[in-house]
Amino acid sequence: MPVPEAIGTILAPAHQAYLLQARQMQALSFAVHIPLVCFGIAFPMLILFVEARYLRTGDQLYLTLARRWSRVMLALFGVGVVSGTILSFEMGLLWPNFTATFGSVFGLGFAIEGFSFFTEAIFLGIYLYGWSRLSPRLHFLSGLPVALAGFTGSLMVISVNAWMNHPSGFRLVNGRAVDIHPWAALLGNSYLWHELIHMYVAGYIVTGFLISACYAFGRLRGRWGRYERTALIIPLTVAALAAPVQVLVGDWAGRDVATTQPVKLAAIEGLAHTTRGASEHLLGWYTNGQVKYGIAIPKLLSLLAFHNPNAVVKGLDTVPANRQPPINVVRLSFQTMVGIGTLLALLGVFFLFTRWRRGRPPNSLWFHRAVVLAGPLSVVALIAGWVTTEVGRQPWVVYHVMLTSQAVTAAKGIPVGYATLVIVYLSLAGAVAWILRRLSRAPLPQREEAAV
Amino acid sequence: MHLYALPLIFILIGLVLYVVLGGADFGAGFWQLAAGRGERAERLREHAHHSMGPVWEANHVWLIFVLTVMWTAYPVAFGSIASTLALPLFVAAIGIIIRGTAYALRMGASGPRERAALETASGVSSILTPFSLGLVAGAIAAGRVPVGNAAGDQISSWLSPVPLVIGVLAVSVSAYMAAVFLAADAARHDQPELEQEMRLRGLVAGLVAGAVAVAGLVVLHADVHRLYSELTSGAPLVVAVISALSGLATLALLAARRYEACRYTAALAVAAVIAAWAIAQSPVILPGLTVAQAAAPHDVLVAVTVAVLAGALILFPSLALLFRLFLGGRLSEPAASPEAAQATTGRARTWASPGTLARVAGALLLAGVGLLNAADAPLAHLFGVLCLLAFIAVAFSS
Ligand code: HDD
Ligand code: HEM
Ligand code: HEM
């Protein structure tokens, strides 16, 4: 690994008065793209499951469900594509020096990702427009590459993010990356695996809870037939299983962060000084080197991070103040994610337990209200998780190698671009809400036209 | 041929395919906008929408391909271009958002008013995007992008004759590609009236594109003389002549209603223009930066080449399948009712009783927690994760 403070840059870093806006623009674009991506990860699998059910049982209900969901998937995929395209442009528009200096190290990941998008887009075209044109079995098979590409696509993009958090596979000489081994940089990175699994499971949580939230909402409004019940149970079961698992995967992620990015961990916990047997603080606010108004649990942090109640946990004071991330942002978002994650896991366990004991899912209004809430909350957890990871890495864009302020463009007009993007994304959000309403209002036909 | 030039060839191939396939998509938006009002216009728009539907997303990915290979193989050139030409690139990106969103929304639109609004939005962005991307290509060709972080002027680098002409050329070529494509599609679906309309439009757009290309040469002569003289001698000249001839051939074929052949000659004309530009400009990619200097280190180039070739092995058969199903009319016709697709009747197989499955799931969960959350070795983590994912799968199916 490169030594700390070895700074790499090819193009001359320039002063950019609007660095913060550039960062917010990037964050905004991610906040739009990533929830959509969850549907790219998990929706094909769900739809294929339902279609397989149809093939097995011949029950028309499953077919209707699969076809309706696949129209939603098409709409979300379209929006996912454009938001992803914006991200690709932003790599150059906002961070040209990052791309110019390290493009050859990490770019391969995006290039391969490009091919998985190709596969996804091509087979999605075949799947969605081929409902009654292909034989049922062939049609089902044409959906498999879509589901697979959702996985490989996130694998490659996360490998880039993992590389930024834990860079390797090159040497720096005079600010240039030399001796580059792109495969090792991307796939030989220990940091990749927890991020990938955590994100992949998050995809199922977000998709599952959001879809079931829609039907639970319908239930509260009195729409509650066999169709709705099935449409609620299937995604909810997936999400309910994934949510407790996510807590376990998150624990693993935390231990990886503790060993590779101690400063990020210190920011997550608000730990000002290196401490032996550090305690964990729930809630609270970090000021003047300590967490105020929090609930302290002695030695828990050392135990969780290093499996040893007396382990030494590095504090923020191991680096100068201008090399520390904004502590409360990181801390708050982490606590948000963990809090929501715990609630979702509890909800999931409750649902599964009731189903198992009583042989049928919980039926109370309160349960359905909770499911309605769980949908948006899971998205909040998702974004909060990424804020933890990305803001926790600040001020570095490539950890201990390149500062975000060195990566940024020298071009003018960032505020104008930012404002434009905000307007565009607001309209986009409105548009998505509109189309989803439209699609959900469409009658439940027995004879449905193709998804065109 | 040196290894350092190979990714550039991939980029140029991607660019040609994007102009031909993605261009047809933007062109379709252009014709939707230009169709005006009334019933016939409505039919034309409907046709354009249906024809592009299944291939829209796949066509679009070519641009992503070009960008990613560019920043991996020629990172400094990419950073310089993106920072100096930030404005046109940003406009192109916004155009793509609008175009894609309008496309995604179209299926929810009911009634001509909603559709017309969406089509206006998508039509405007369909002009804006190729125009802006043309500006970018033109600015690079005119040598107006110096190496550095936004080192060139943010406005005057693209606001000059050559980029503007290339921008207009991009729009007219898109319109032409789309007209050919739509005419062929109408012919396949036995809609002679539509076919006739699109063919006429195609001829006009083709003539316009040709005229703009000639105008481009004149402007190049006046403005970027070095590139002009390279382009009008030796190999580039031969390639440029090929392009002009295929351009003429494609018009003749269009007039003769030979659509299939017409598409290939049109693609050839585009490919030859881009090739002529590339050869004329080589070995320089940006002023003072040769392709060899811009290229990533050897290992990276090998990796990119391997990845692209392996990707192509998957990509081209899949694309061929898509276009065969699609052009064969198997994907674009209105679908029959779901009942038409017969289901294999219920033969619910269970290979394990729910009780067993539940027990297996429980064991997997326990093993997963032990390996992932209690143990500390990476290998244990690997198996732990596998156990947990298997737990989800098994529990779900029980
Ligand atoms: C539905 C979403 C969701 C839920 C319920 C959780 N997480 Fe999470 N978390 C994410 C979604 C997420 C993510 C997908 O947004 C992140 C961002 C980067 C990553 O790899 O996953 C993340 C990052 C992330 C990180 C930082 C990893 C890094 O910087 O590399 C840690 C330590 C945790 N999570 C821990 C947890 C714990 C202990 C949870 C349980 C209570 C939890 N997460 C629930
Ligand atoms: C590749 C080039 C990338 C650059 C230059 C970059 C840089 C940044 C920056 C500067 C921010 C803003 C942080 C802040 O607000 O302080 C950010 C946010 C974010 N990044 Fe990255 N990042 C990149 C790649 C990625 C990748 C590959 C992922 C995911 C796989 C990712 C996920 C996120 C997310 C989710 C946020 C949003 C945080 C928020 O909502 O505030 N980033 N990124
Ligand atoms: C710098 C970061 C990123 C870039 C440049 C980027 C780029 C893109 C692009 C260009 C697309 C559209 C593909 C198409 O045309 O079909 C896309 C879609 C997608 N992206 Fe991203 N992306 C980024 C971050 C992420 C993250 C954080 C994830 C999640 C792990 C992700 C996973 C996906 C998936 C699964 C799709 C499929 C489309 C969908 O289902 O909506 N990407 N991305």
mmCIF file of all heavy atoms in Angstrom, chain A residues 7-10 101-102 172-177:
data_model
loop_
_atom_site.group_PDB
_atom_site.id
_atom_site.type_symbol
_atom_site.label_atom_id
_atom_site.label_comp_id
_atom_site.label_asym_id
_atom_site.label_seq_id
_atom_site.Cartn_x
_atom_site.Cartn_y
_atom_site.Cartn_z
ATOM 1 N N ILE A 7 1.182 12.015 -2.347
ATOM 2 C CA ILE A 7 0.068 12.556 -3.099
ATOM 3 C C ILE A 7 0.269 12.387 -4.588
ATOM 4 O O ILE A 7 1.309 12.725 -5.119
ATOM 5 C CB ILE A 7 -0.148 14.019 -2.701
ATOM 6 C CG1 ILE A 7 -0.572 13.979 -1.245
ATOM 7 C CG2 ILE A 7 -1.171 14.664 -3.609
ATOM 8 C CD1 ILE A 7 -1.324 15.097 -0.752
ATOM 9 N N GLY A 8 -0.720 11.826 -5.236
ATOM 10 C CA GLY A 8 -0.617 11.588 -6.658
ATOM 11 C C GLY A 8 -1.487 12.548 -7.440
ATOM 12 O O GLY A 8 -2.625 12.783 -7.091
ATOM 13 N N THR A 9 -0.930 13.133 -8.470
ATOM 14 C CA THR A 9 -1.745 13.968 -9.344
ATOM 15 C C THR A 9 -0.995 14.208 -10.641
ATOM 16 O O THR A 9 0.211 14.401 -10.632
ATOM 17 C CB THR A 9 -2.120 15.306 -8.686
ATOM 18 O OG1 THR A 9 -2.561 16.188 -9.690
ATOM 19 C CG2 THR A 9 -0.969 15.935 -7.948
ATOM 20 N N ILE A 10 -1.718 14.160 -11.751
ATOM 21 C CA ILE A 10 -1.066 14.402 -13.046
ATOM 22 C C ILE A 10 -1.345 15.811 -13.531
ATOM 23 O O ILE A 10 -0.444 16.593 -13.753
ATOM 24 C CB ILE A 10 -1.545 13.385 -14.098
ATOM 25 C CG1 ILE A 10 -0.868 12.041 -13.846
ATOM 26 C CG2 ILE A 10 -1.181 13.871 -15.481
ATOM 27 C CD1 ILE A 10 -0.970 11.089 -14.994
ATOM 28 N N THR A 101 -5.444 10.938 -13.355
ATOM 29 C CA THR A 101 -4.324 10.347 -12.629
ATOM 30 C C THR A 101 -4.499 8.849 -12.433
ATOM 31 O O THR A 101 -3.553 8.081 -12.537
ATOM 32 C CB THR A 101 -4.163 11.034 -11.258
ATOM 33 O OG1 THR A 101 -4.179 12.445 -11.468
ATOM 34 C CG2 THR A 101 -2.857 10.638 -10.610
ATOM 35 N N PHE A 102 -5.721 8.438 -12.123
ATOM 36 C CA PHE A 102 -5.905 7.033 -11.737
ATOM 37 C C PHE A 102 -6.833 6.259 -12.664
ATOM 38 O O PHE A 102 -7.150 5.109 -12.385
ATOM 39 C CB PHE A 102 -6.415 6.945 -10.292
ATOM 40 C CG PHE A 102 -5.421 7.468 -9.305
ATOM 41 C CD1 PHE A 102 -5.632 8.670 -8.651
ATOM 42 C CD2 PHE A 102 -4.248 6.774 -9.067
ATOM 43 C CE1 PHE A 102 -4.695 9.159 -7.756
ATOM 44 C CE2 PHE A 102 -3.311 7.258 -8.187
ATOM 45 C CZ PHE A 102 -3.532 8.454 -7.523
ATOM 46 N N LEU A 172 3.364 5.001 -6.671
ATOM 47 C CA LEU A 172 3.363 6.400 -7.047
ATOM 48 C C LEU A 172 4.797 6.858 -7.264
ATOM 49 O O LEU A 172 5.644 6.666 -6.409
ATOM 50 C CB LEU A 172 2.762 7.253 -5.934
ATOM 51 C CG LEU A 172 1.271 7.498 -5.946
ATOM 52 C CD1 LEU A 172 0.933 8.469 -4.837
ATOM 53 C CD2 LEU A 172 0.807 8.044 -7.277
ATOM 54 N N VAL A 173 5.066 7.456 -8.423
ATOM 55 C CA VAL A 173 6.361 8.062 -8.664
ATOM 56 C C VAL A 173 6.107 9.458 -9.200
ATOM 57 O O VAL A 173 5.467 9.614 -10.241
ATOM 58 C CB VAL A 173 7.183 7.241 -9.680
ATOM 59 C CG1 VAL A 173 8.485 7.966 -10.002
ATOM 60 C CG2 VAL A 173 7.463 5.860 -9.136
ATOM 61 N N ASN A 174 6.541 10.455 -8.486
ATOM 62 C CA ASN A 174 6.324 11.856 -8.881
ATOM 63 C C ASN A 174 4.857 12.143 -9.160
ATOM 64 O O ASN A 174 4.519 12.796 -10.150
ATOM 65 C CB ASN A 174 7.132 12.209 -10.130
ATOM 66 C CG ASN A 174 8.611 12.058 -9.863
ATOM 67 O OD1 ASN A 174 9.042 12.229 -8.716
ATOM 68 N ND2 ASN A 174 9.363 11.709 -10.881
ATOM 69 N N GLY A 175 4.002 11.628 -8.352
ATOM 70 C CA GLY A 175 2.595 11.931 -8.516
ATOM 71 C C GLY A 175 1.911 11.133 -9.606
ATOM 72 O O GLY A 175 0.724 11.286 -9.842
ATOM 73 N N ARG A 176 2.656 10.272 -10.268
ATOM 74 C CA ARG A 176 2.033 9.451 -11.300
ATOM 75 C C ARG A 176 1.892 8.030 -10.814
ATOM 76 O O ARG A 176 2.753 7.530 -10.098
ATOM 77 C CB ARG A 176 2.902 9.415 -12.556
ATOM 78 C CG ARG A 176 2.761 10.627 -13.400
ATOM 79 C CD ARG A 176 3.743 10.585 -14.547
ATOM 80 N NE ARG A 176 3.475 11.748 -15.396
ATOM 81 C CZ ARG A 176 2.782 11.667 -16.518
ATOM 82 N NH1 ARG A 176 2.325 10.534 -16.955
ATOM 83 N NH2 ARG A 176 2.551 12.771 -17.216
ATOM 84 N N ALA A 177 0.832 7.367 -11.268
ATOM 85 C CA ALA A 177 0.681 5.950 -10.935
ATOM 86 C C ALA A 177 1.514 5.152 -11.932
ATOM 87 O O ALA A 177 1.343 5.298 -13.141
ATOM 88 C CB ALA A 177 -0.781 5.555 -11.014
#
